[in-house]
């Protein structure tokens, strides 16, 4: 993935399947708790993980998004959620201790999810992702298609850039005109982009077929990741946390 | 006994929905260790044949396939799957961008092996060997997108070699490459022919195919000629008729009325001399004097231009240039040396990170993009990046309409643009039904309709056969002679020699040489050090102690004592 950070950390060394299952378990864990304090603990935990995986570089890139998400969820849930006894109200807006607690819980939860996802993409290569999916049991074609999509998106954007420049050079001005006029201006962009996409896909399929893609029967893997004690330990730990989180009486 | 590795017997193929067969009566047998080159004009069926060989036809591309072929002794009947044939015959495509899909070099090379279920240890060995073979050892962990064009194409070859096919088929692998990249691929082909059982290569550059064992000439789906290079390439007129640029040695010999079967530069020069031809006393002085009259005033001034994408190394680093009205400038250099980035400053698609670019007296930062685009017409490398309309006429009118010209003027300009590009009479044709060469002309026409003073063309000859190349180049020359300033990016050194006046050589974001074309070719050592090579005609001139730009100039410089 584009955000992959090539360093060597404990998280990087995990088995790809552990990374995928671990991410899913982390996400489930954030949903288990309603209390802002527990959410804060989880958030601090994933931030520590992010730190250890060297993912802060990527977090900095999405910092504006993270701040927006936090402020927006705290404000909107606090003001619009109707729980408990409001101690302040103005029209539709109300504030209560419970709604404020809820707002913070939601804010921290979303942040924890964002950070978890970011850690995952920071320490997983596309091929590892595909390998991990296969190891869990997904068919090769599906995991390959998924990983290929990640690979092709940036390439596709470069192609779009070229087409946009080619048409701008011929005087296409996308900024002026009303909505309808502007929509019509996209035709000169869309046609070459589609032609491009079809042609590229065709060539790529031929290249894949020529290398034995689609062959029946067993396939071997160039990469190999041993599943070792640290994978058991991490997954076991997350499982225990989840069990505790979901079975514990709601505080 | 030397058994053939591949035998085609009366092979024919018709694409689904096509009336005419794309391949017809193809009979061919490939002996072990043979190096065969296929030549022929666009649409002759070269790519179709390549795709038949590894089974993409008919299992991926549908149509009707007749006849039979035997690979390594086993008859393929019915519809063999690509993956069955792929183990025996590997195919390398022209487009090196579209055929790579992994995130690092070693995984790319291993992909076929994974599909063939090769054991992991064996796989490691083969990947290592294949990368060593193509000179990419040490690149294992690199992202393919960070490689140069030539490296990407060599990676594509490695990924095919790793599967240990008996035969490697390459479909125009060097078309998009700079001169060094090209040379590396041909060198590789030379080595490989002895290591695997055979190579089949589709290629246009006659000089590079002299070392082939056999040349197949294709025309309208058939093999119409077959033989060693000495026999196949010695008739320049026949070769040219089939869309291939003839060897310049044979052109010279035929112009002088000599036997044309001396193909290499050295042989040809000695034949000319031994026939009694001598260089005229004032030849070089005459050539040097043959210069275009001094150009007009300055149109473009580039001062200390630096351009950076993000935090990357500057793509253009401290370039200063002054382009005068009426000049024909060729911009050359390796893939990735900053030519295109520099060119995009001329019409404002890029604005300088540092320094200034002034066009028609005004800084590009002060022009609006559309206004500047109208004065500086930019033709992108691939016409398919911009063609969208239903008719040729609409396509050409697009630019002119964008600038809000009155409909009457638009019609007039479109008519003029179509006339000059030779597309008059095709107004209502669907652009997608035109040939690649015609689409390239259409792209030029659509830029001309806004009447720009400056024309910038990014590799206008790529992907065209020799007829197509000459047509577009003559068009550009006519436009230049009628007063338009031309800046052309190109990898073809013969195009620089024969068409441009001024040559700007770039390397690593800098301009390393800027001057009159002849003076640039007077220094072969410098060209060599910049990984460029003087074209065949120029090197043929060196043999006579002349710095020429074309074979015609050599002919003009020679005299025969018998008159």
């Amino acid at each position: 993935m584009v955000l992959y950070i090539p360093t060597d950390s404990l998280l990087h060394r995990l088995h790809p399947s552990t990374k995928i299952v671990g991410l899913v378990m982390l996400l489930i864990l954030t949903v288990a708790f309603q209390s802002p304090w527990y959410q804060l603990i989880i958030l601090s935990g994933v931030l520590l993980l992010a730190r250890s995986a060297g993912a802060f570089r990527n977090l900095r890139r999405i910092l504006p998004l993270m701040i927006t998400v936090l402020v927006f969820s705290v404000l909107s849930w606090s003001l619009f959620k109707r729980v408990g006894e409001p101690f302040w109200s103005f029209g539709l807006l109300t504030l209560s201790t419970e709604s404020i607690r809820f707002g913070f819980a939601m804010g921290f939860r979303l942040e924890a999810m964002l950070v978890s996802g970011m850690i995952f993409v920071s320490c997983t290569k596309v091929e590892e992702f595909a390998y991990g999916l296969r190891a869990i049991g997904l068919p090769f074609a599906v995991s390959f298609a998924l990983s290929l999509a990640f690979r092709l998106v940036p390439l596709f954007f470069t192609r779009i850039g070229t087409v946009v420049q080619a048409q701008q050079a011929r005087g296409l001005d996308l900024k002026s005109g009303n909505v309808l006029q502007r929509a019509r201006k996209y035709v000169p962009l869309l046609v070459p982009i589609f032609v491009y996409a079809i042609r590229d896909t065709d060539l790529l399929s031929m290249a894949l077929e020529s290398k034995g893609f689609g062959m029946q029967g067993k396939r071997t893997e160039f990469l190999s990741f041993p599943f070792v004690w640290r994978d058991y330990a991490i997954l076991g730990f997350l499982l225990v946390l989840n069990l505790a989180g979901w079975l514990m009486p709601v505080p | 006994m030397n058994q053939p590795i591949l035998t085609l017997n009366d092979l024919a193929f018709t694409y689904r929905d096509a009336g005419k067969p794309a391949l017809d009566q193809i009979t061919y047998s490939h002996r072990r260790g043979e190096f065969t080159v296929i030549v022929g004009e666009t649409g002759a069926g070269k790519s179709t044949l390549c795709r038949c060989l590894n089974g993409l036809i008919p299992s991926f591309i549908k149509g009707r396939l007749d006849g039979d072929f035997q690979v390594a002794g086993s008859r393929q009947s019915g519809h063999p799957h690509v993956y069955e044939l792929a183990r025996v015959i590997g195919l390398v495509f022209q487009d090196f961008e579209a055929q790579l899909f992994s995130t690092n070099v070693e995984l790319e090379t291993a992909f076929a092996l994974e599909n063939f279920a090769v054991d992991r240890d064996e796989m490691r060995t083969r990947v290592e060997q294949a990368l060593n073979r193509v000179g990419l050892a040490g690149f294992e962990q690199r992202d393919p997108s960070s490689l140069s064009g030539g490296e990407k194409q060599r990676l594509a070859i490695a990924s095919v070699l790793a599967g240990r096919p008996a035969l490697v088929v390459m479909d125009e692998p060097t078309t998009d490459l700079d001169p060094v990249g090209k040379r590396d691929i041909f060198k590789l082909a030379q080595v490989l022919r002895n290591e695997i059982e055979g190579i089949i290569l589709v290629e246009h550059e006659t000089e590079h195919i002299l070392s082939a064992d056999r040349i197949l000439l294709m025309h309208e789906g058939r093999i119409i000629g077959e033989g060693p290079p000495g026999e196949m390439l010695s008739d320049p007129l026949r070769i040219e008729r089939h869309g291939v640029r003839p060897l310049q040695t044979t052109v010279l010999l035929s112009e002088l009325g000599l036997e044309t079967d001396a193909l290499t530069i050295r042989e040809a020069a000695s034949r000319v001399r031994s026939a009694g031809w001598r260089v005229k006393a004032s030849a070089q002085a005459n050539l040097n004097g043959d210069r275009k009259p001094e150009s007009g005033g300055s149109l473009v001034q580039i001062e200390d231009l630096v351009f950076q994408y993000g935090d990357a190394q500057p793509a253009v680093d401290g370039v200063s240039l002054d382009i005068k009205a009426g000049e024909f400038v060729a911009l050359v250099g390796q893939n990735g040396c900053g030519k295109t980035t520099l060119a995009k400053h001329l019409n404002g698609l890029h604005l300088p990170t540092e320094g200034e670019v002034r066009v028609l007296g005004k800084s590009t930062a002060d022009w609006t993009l559309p206004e500047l685009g109208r004065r500086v017409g930019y033709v992108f490398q691939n016409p398919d990046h911009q063609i969208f309309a239903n008719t040729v006429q609409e396509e050409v009118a697009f630019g002119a309409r964008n600038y809000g010209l009155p409909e009457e003027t638009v019609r007039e300009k479109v008519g003029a643009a179509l006339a000059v590009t030779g597309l008059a009479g095709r107004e209502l044709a669907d652009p997608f039904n035109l040939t690649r060469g015609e689409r390239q002309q259409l792209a030029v026409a659509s830029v001309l309709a806004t009447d720009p003073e400056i024309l910038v063309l990014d590799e206008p000859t790529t992907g065209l056969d020799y007829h197509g190349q000459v047509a577009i180049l003559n068009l550009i020359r006519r436009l230049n002679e009628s007063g338009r300033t031309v800046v052309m990016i190109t990898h073809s050194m013969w195009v620089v020699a024969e068409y441009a006046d001024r040559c700007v050589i770039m390397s690593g974001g800098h301009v390393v040489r800027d001057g009159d074309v002849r003076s640039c070719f007077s220094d072969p050592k410098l060209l060599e050090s910049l990984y460029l090579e003087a074209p065949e005609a120029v090197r043929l001139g060196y043999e006579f102690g002349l710095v020429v730009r074309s074979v015609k100039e050599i002919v003009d410089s020679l005299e025969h004592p018998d008159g």
Side-chain angles (χ1 to χ4, degrees), chain A residues 196-219:
Chain A
Y196 223 141
I198 292 168
R199 180 188 150 275
D200 270 13
T201 319
D202 216 40
L203 271 173
L204 183 65
S205 327
M206 287 200 277
L208 288 175
E209 294 256 334
S210 303
K211 286 175 192 163
F213 183 79
M215 212 155 136
Q216 313 296 319
K218 212 172 80 74
R219 209 181 163 272

PDB file of all heavy atoms in Angstrom, chain A residues 196-219:
ATOM      1  N   TYR A 196      -8.541   4.370 -21.873  1.00  0.00           N
ATOM      2  CA  TYR A 196      -7.301   4.030 -21.212  1.00  0.00           C
ATOM      3  C   TYR A 196      -7.476   2.841 -20.272  1.00  0.00           C
ATOM      4  O   TYR A 196      -6.728   1.865 -20.312  1.00  0.00           O
ATOM      5  CB  TYR A 196      -6.887   5.229 -20.363  1.00  0.00           C
ATOM      6  CG  TYR A 196      -5.428   5.530 -20.468  1.00  0.00           C
ATOM      7  CD1 TYR A 196      -4.993   6.841 -20.502  1.00  0.00           C
ATOM      8  CD2 TYR A 196      -4.491   4.513 -20.530  1.00  0.00           C
ATOM      9  CE1 TYR A 196      -3.660   7.138 -20.598  1.00  0.00           C
ATOM     10  CE2 TYR A 196      -3.160   4.802 -20.633  1.00  0.00           C
ATOM     11  CZ  TYR A 196      -2.747   6.112 -20.667  1.00  0.00           C
ATOM     12  OH  TYR A 196      -1.450   6.402 -20.761  1.00  0.00           O
ATOM     13  N   ALA A 197      -8.504   2.943 -19.440  1.00  0.00           N
ATOM     14  CA  ALA A 197      -8.719   1.909 -18.437  1.00  0.00           C
ATOM     15  C   ALA A 197      -8.967   0.559 -19.103  1.00  0.00           C
ATOM     16  O   ALA A 197      -8.422  -0.460 -18.697  1.00  0.00           O
ATOM     17  CB  ALA A 197      -9.894   2.288 -17.546  1.00  0.00           C
ATOM     18  N   ILE A 198      -9.771   0.575 -20.180  1.00  0.00           N
ATOM     19  CA  ILE A 198     -10.093  -0.675 -20.858  1.00  0.00           C
ATOM     20  C   ILE A 198      -8.833  -1.266 -21.476  1.00  0.00           C
ATOM     21  O   ILE A 198      -8.536  -2.444 -21.345  1.00  0.00           O
ATOM     22  CB  ILE A 198     -11.175  -0.439 -21.935  1.00  0.00           C
ATOM     23  CG1 ILE A 198     -12.489  -0.088 -21.249  1.00  0.00           C
ATOM     24  CG2 ILE A 198     -11.325  -1.655 -22.835  1.00  0.00           C
ATOM     25  CD1 ILE A 198     -13.558   0.443 -22.171  1.00  0.00           C
ATOM     26  N   ARG A 199      -8.063  -0.393 -22.124  1.00  0.00           N
ATOM     27  CA  ARG A 199      -6.851  -0.858 -22.795  1.00  0.00           C
ATOM     28  C   ARG A 199      -5.859  -1.413 -21.764  1.00  0.00           C
ATOM     29  O   ARG A 199      -5.291  -2.489 -21.953  1.00  0.00           O
ATOM     30  CB  ARG A 199      -6.232   0.321 -23.543  1.00  0.00           C
ATOM     31  CG  ARG A 199      -4.984  -0.040 -24.276  1.00  0.00           C
ATOM     32  CD  ARG A 199      -4.304   1.198 -24.826  1.00  0.00           C
ATOM     33  NE  ARG A 199      -2.866   0.999 -24.896  1.00  0.00           N
ATOM     34  CZ  ARG A 199      -2.036   1.190 -23.911  1.00  0.00           C
ATOM     35  NH1 ARG A 199      -2.475   1.610 -22.746  1.00  0.00           N
ATOM     36  NH2 ARG A 199      -0.752   0.980 -24.047  1.00  0.00           N
ATOM     37  N   ASP A 200      -5.668  -0.698 -20.670  1.00  0.00           N
ATOM     38  CA  ASP A 200      -4.731  -1.142 -19.642  1.00  0.00           C
ATOM     39  C   ASP A 200      -5.148  -2.471 -19.036  1.00  0.00           C
ATOM     40  O   ASP A 200      -4.329  -3.359 -18.825  1.00  0.00           O
ATOM     41  CB  ASP A 200      -4.670  -0.106 -18.508  1.00  0.00           C
ATOM     42  CG  ASP A 200      -3.604   0.921 -18.787  1.00  0.00           C
ATOM     43  OD1 ASP A 200      -3.127   0.956 -19.933  1.00  0.00           O
ATOM     44  OD2 ASP A 200      -3.244   1.679 -17.875  1.00  0.00           O
ATOM     45  N   THR A 201      -6.441  -2.596 -18.765  1.00  0.00           N
ATOM     46  CA  THR A 201      -6.940  -3.823 -18.166  1.00  0.00           C
ATOM     47  C   THR A 201      -6.709  -4.994 -19.099  1.00  0.00           C
ATOM     48  O   THR A 201      -6.324  -6.084 -18.688  1.00  0.00           O
ATOM     49  CB  THR A 201      -8.450  -3.696 -17.892  1.00  0.00           C
ATOM     50  OG1 THR A 201      -8.688  -2.389 -17.381  1.00  0.00           O
ATOM     51  CG2 THR A 201      -8.914  -4.713 -16.898  1.00  0.00           C
ATOM     52  N   ASP A 202      -6.947  -4.730 -20.397  1.00  0.00           N
ATOM     53  CA  ASP A 202      -6.767  -5.762 -21.398  1.00  0.00           C
ATOM     54  C   ASP A 202      -5.318  -6.234 -21.432  1.00  0.00           C
ATOM     55  O   ASP A 202      -5.041  -7.428 -21.397  1.00  0.00           O
ATOM     56  CB  ASP A 202      -7.143  -5.151 -22.749  1.00  0.00           C
ATOM     57  CG  ASP A 202      -7.813  -6.162 -23.632  1.00  0.00           C
ATOM     58  OD1 ASP A 202      -8.614  -6.931 -23.100  1.00  0.00           O
ATOM     59  OD2 ASP A 202      -7.513  -6.170 -24.837  1.00  0.00           O
ATOM     60  N   LEU A 203      -4.411  -5.257 -21.484  1.00  0.00           N
ATOM     61  CA  LEU A 203      -2.990  -5.606 -21.527  1.00  0.00           C
ATOM     62  C   LEU A 203      -2.568  -6.358 -20.270  1.00  0.00           C
ATOM     63  O   LEU A 203      -1.838  -7.341 -20.329  1.00  0.00           O
ATOM     64  CB  LEU A 203      -2.159  -4.331 -21.631  1.00  0.00           C
ATOM     65  CG  LEU A 203      -1.890  -3.843 -23.042  1.00  0.00           C
ATOM     66  CD1 LEU A 203      -1.209  -2.484 -23.016  1.00  0.00           C
ATOM     67  CD2 LEU A 203      -1.009  -4.852 -23.765  1.00  0.00           C
ATOM     68  N   LEU A 204      -3.050  -5.861 -19.137  1.00  0.00           N
ATOM     69  CA  LEU A 204      -2.673  -6.485 -17.877  1.00  0.00           C
ATOM     70  C   LEU A 204      -3.177  -7.927 -17.824  1.00  0.00           C
ATOM     71  O   LEU A 204      -2.457  -8.829 -17.408  1.00  0.00           O
ATOM     72  CB  LEU A 204      -3.229  -5.671 -16.711  1.00  0.00           C
ATOM     73  CG  LEU A 204      -2.839  -6.189 -15.339  1.00  0.00           C
ATOM     74  CD1 LEU A 204      -1.336  -6.070 -15.129  1.00  0.00           C
ATOM     75  CD2 LEU A 204      -3.563  -5.415 -14.250  1.00  0.00           C
ATOM     76  N   SER A 205      -4.417  -8.133 -18.282  1.00  0.00           N
ATOM     77  CA  SER A 205      -4.944  -9.498 -18.262  1.00  0.00           C
ATOM     78  C   SER A 205      -4.096 -10.405 -19.133  1.00  0.00           C
ATOM     79  O   SER A 205      -3.829 -11.550 -18.781  1.00  0.00           O
ATOM     80  CB  SER A 205      -6.381  -9.562 -18.768  1.00  0.00           C
ATOM     81  OG  SER A 205      -7.065  -8.413 -18.436  1.00  0.00           O
ATOM     82  N   MET A 206      -3.666  -9.866 -20.282  1.00  0.00           N
ATOM     83  CA  MET A 206      -2.845 -10.703 -21.160  1.00  0.00           C
ATOM     84  C   MET A 206      -1.517 -11.026 -20.495  1.00  0.00           C
ATOM     85  O   MET A 206      -1.038 -12.160 -20.576  1.00  0.00           O
ATOM     86  CB  MET A 206      -2.629  -9.999 -22.490  1.00  0.00           C
ATOM     87  CG  MET A 206      -3.870  -9.981 -23.347  1.00  0.00           C
ATOM     88  SD  MET A 206      -3.486  -9.698 -25.073  1.00  0.00           S
ATOM     89  CE  MET A 206      -3.337  -7.944 -25.122  1.00  0.00           C
ATOM     90  N   ALA A 207      -0.925 -10.014 -19.828  1.00  0.00           N
ATOM     91  CA  ALA A 207       0.349 -10.255 -19.147  1.00  0.00           C
ATOM     92  C   ALA A 207       0.170 -11.305 -18.057  1.00  0.00           C
ATOM     93  O   ALA A 207       1.010 -12.183 -17.883  1.00  0.00           O
ATOM     94  CB  ALA A 207       0.888  -8.952 -18.578  1.00  0.00           C
ATOM     95  N   LEU A 208      -0.943 -11.224 -17.334  1.00  0.00           N
ATOM     96  CA  LEU A 208      -1.205 -12.195 -16.266  1.00  0.00           C
ATOM     97  C   LEU A 208      -1.383 -13.594 -16.829  1.00  0.00           C
ATOM     98  O   LEU A 208      -0.792 -14.557 -16.356  1.00  0.00           O
ATOM     99  CB  LEU A 208      -2.455 -11.797 -15.486  1.00  0.00           C
ATOM    100  CG  LEU A 208      -2.339 -10.585 -14.569  1.00  0.00           C
ATOM    101  CD1 LEU A 208      -3.687 -10.240 -13.956  1.00  0.00           C
ATOM    102  CD2 LEU A 208      -1.326 -10.848 -13.477  1.00  0.00           C
ATOM    103  N   GLU A 209      -2.207 -13.693 -17.878  1.00  0.00           N
ATOM    104  CA  GLU A 209      -2.447 -15.008 -18.488  1.00  0.00           C
ATOM    105  C   GLU A 209      -1.146 -15.607 -18.991  1.00  0.00           C
ATOM    106  O   GLU A 209      -0.912 -16.804 -18.853  1.00  0.00           O
ATOM    107  CB  GLU A 209      -3.407 -14.862 -19.669  1.00  0.00           C
ATOM    108  CG  GLU A 209      -4.801 -14.443 -19.287  1.00  0.00           C
ATOM    109  CD  GLU A 209      -5.780 -15.605 -19.337  1.00  0.00           C
ATOM    110  OE1 GLU A 209      -5.530 -16.549 -20.089  1.00  0.00           O
ATOM    111  OE2 GLU A 209      -6.787 -15.556 -18.621  1.00  0.00           O
ATOM    112  N   SER A 210      -0.320 -14.742 -19.583  1.00  0.00           N
ATOM    113  CA  SER A 210       0.932 -15.238 -20.150  1.00  0.00           C
ATOM    114  C   SER A 210       1.866 -15.759 -19.080  1.00  0.00           C
ATOM    115  O   SER A 210       2.853 -16.395 -19.383  1.00  0.00           O
ATOM    116  CB  SER A 210       1.643 -14.137 -20.932  1.00  0.00           C
ATOM    117  OG  SER A 210       0.807 -13.657 -21.927  1.00  0.00           O
ATOM    118  N   LYS A 211       1.609 -15.404 -17.843  1.00  0.00           N
ATOM    119  CA  LYS A 211       2.463 -15.894 -16.771  1.00  0.00           C
ATOM    120  C   LYS A 211       1.764 -16.977 -15.961  1.00  0.00           C
ATOM    121  O   LYS A 211       2.077 -17.187 -14.800  1.00  0.00           O
ATOM    122  CB  LYS A 211       2.907 -14.745 -15.882  1.00  0.00           C
ATOM    123  CG  LYS A 211       3.953 -13.902 -16.594  1.00  0.00           C
ATOM    124  CD  LYS A 211       4.341 -12.698 -15.822  1.00  0.00           C
ATOM    125  CE  LYS A 211       5.142 -11.773 -16.713  1.00  0.00           C
ATOM    126  NZ  LYS A 211       5.202 -10.430 -16.158  1.00  0.00           N
ATOM    127  N   GLY A 212       0.799 -17.602 -16.582  1.00  0.00           N
ATOM    128  CA  GLY A 212       0.209 -18.767 -15.955  1.00  0.00           C
ATOM    129  C   GLY A 212      -0.868 -18.472 -14.940  1.00  0.00           C
ATOM    130  O   GLY A 212      -1.280 -19.363 -14.193  1.00  0.00           O
ATOM    131  N   PHE A 213      -1.347 -17.227 -14.899  1.00  0.00           N
ATOM    132  CA  PHE A 213      -2.439 -16.906 -13.981  1.00  0.00           C
ATOM    133  C   PHE A 213      -3.681 -17.662 -14.444  1.00  0.00           C
ATOM    134  O   PHE A 213      -3.966 -17.713 -15.635  1.00  0.00           O
ATOM    135  CB  PHE A 213      -2.695 -15.393 -14.005  1.00  0.00           C
ATOM    136  CG  PHE A 213      -3.755 -14.949 -13.047  1.00  0.00           C
ATOM    137  CD1 PHE A 213      -3.458 -14.816 -11.708  1.00  0.00           C
ATOM    138  CD2 PHE A 213      -5.030 -14.632 -13.488  1.00  0.00           C
ATOM    139  CE1 PHE A 213      -4.423 -14.386 -10.818  1.00  0.00           C
ATOM    140  CE2 PHE A 213      -5.993 -14.213 -12.599  1.00  0.00           C
ATOM    141  CZ  PHE A 213      -5.695 -14.085 -11.257  1.00  0.00           C
ATOM    142  N   GLY A 214      -4.385 -18.244 -13.491  1.00  0.00           N
ATOM    143  CA  GLY A 214      -5.599 -18.964 -13.879  1.00  0.00           C
ATOM    144  C   GLY A 214      -5.341 -20.436 -14.099  1.00  0.00           C
ATOM    145  O   GLY A 214      -6.212 -21.190 -14.500  1.00  0.00           O
ATOM    146  N   MET A 215      -4.088 -20.859 -13.864  1.00  0.00           N
ATOM    147  CA  MET A 215      -3.752 -22.261 -14.006  1.00  0.00           C
ATOM    148  C   MET A 215      -4.493 -23.071 -12.942  1.00  0.00           C
ATOM    149  O   MET A 215      -4.617 -22.626 -11.815  1.00  0.00           O
ATOM    150  CB  MET A 215      -2.262 -22.407 -13.781  1.00  0.00           C
ATOM    151  CG  MET A 215      -1.673 -23.479 -14.572  1.00  0.00           C
ATOM    152  SD  MET A 215       0.044 -23.136 -14.830  1.00  0.00           S
ATOM    153  CE  MET A 215       0.675 -24.752 -14.519  1.00  0.00           C
ATOM    154  N   GLN A 216      -4.945 -24.240 -13.353  1.00  0.00           N
ATOM    155  CA  GLN A 216      -5.668 -25.060 -12.389  1.00  0.00           C
ATOM    156  C   GLN A 216      -4.692 -25.706 -11.420  1.00  0.00           C
ATOM    157  O   GLN A 216      -3.524 -25.838 -11.705  1.00  0.00           O
ATOM    158  CB  GLN A 216      -6.452 -26.158 -13.103  1.00  0.00           C
ATOM    159  CG  GLN A 216      -7.255 -25.674 -14.289  1.00  0.00           C
ATOM    160  CD  GLN A 216      -8.346 -24.717 -13.880  1.00  0.00           C
ATOM    161  OE1 GLN A 216      -9.005 -24.931 -12.880  1.00  0.00           O
ATOM    162  NE2 GLN A 216      -8.535 -23.650 -14.645  1.00  0.00           N
ATOM    163  N   GLY A 217      -5.194 -26.080 -10.287  1.00  0.00           N
ATOM    164  CA  GLY A 217      -4.374 -26.870  -9.369  1.00  0.00           C
ATOM    165  C   GLY A 217      -3.550 -26.059  -8.403  1.00  0.00           C
ATOM    166  O   GLY A 217      -3.757 -24.864  -8.233  1.00  0.00           O
ATOM    167  N   LYS A 218      -2.603 -26.713  -7.784  1.00  0.00           N
ATOM    168  CA  LYS A 218      -1.815 -26.131  -6.712  1.00  0.00           C
ATOM    169  C   LYS A 218      -0.962 -24.966  -7.224  1.00  0.00           C
ATOM    170  O   LYS A 218      -0.581 -24.881  -8.364  1.00  0.00           O
ATOM    171  CB  LYS A 218      -0.904 -27.221  -6.126  1.00  0.00           C
ATOM    172  CG  LYS A 218      -0.638 -27.055  -4.647  1.00  0.00           C
ATOM    173  CD  LYS A 218       0.106 -28.281  -4.111  1.00  0.00           C
ATOM    174  CE  LYS A 218       1.591 -28.246  -4.417  1.00  0.00           C
ATOM    175  NZ  LYS A 218       2.435 -27.379  -3.693  1.00  0.00           N
ATOM    176  N   ARG A 219      -0.687 -24.087  -6.283  1.00  0.00           N
ATOM    177  CA  ARG A 219       0.130 -22.926  -6.571  1.00  0.00           C
ATOM    178  C   ARG A 219       1.121 -22.849  -5.425  1.00  0.00           C
ATOM    179  O   ARG A 219       0.806 -23.257  -4.315  1.00  0.00           O
ATOM    180  CB  ARG A 219      -0.806 -21.729  -6.520  1.00  0.00           C
ATOM    181  CG  ARG A 219      -0.422 -20.599  -7.369  1.00  0.00           C
ATOM    182  CD  ARG A 219      -1.400 -19.473  -7.232  1.00  0.00           C
ATOM    183  NE  ARG A 219      -0.754 -18.289  -7.762  1.00  0.00           N
ATOM    184  CZ  ARG A 219      -0.006 -17.482  -7.064  1.00  0.00           C
ATOM    185  NH1 ARG A 219       0.137 -17.679  -5.776  1.00  0.00           N
ATOM    186  NH2 ARG A 219       0.600 -16.454  -7.611  1.00  0.00           N
TER     187      ARG A 219
END
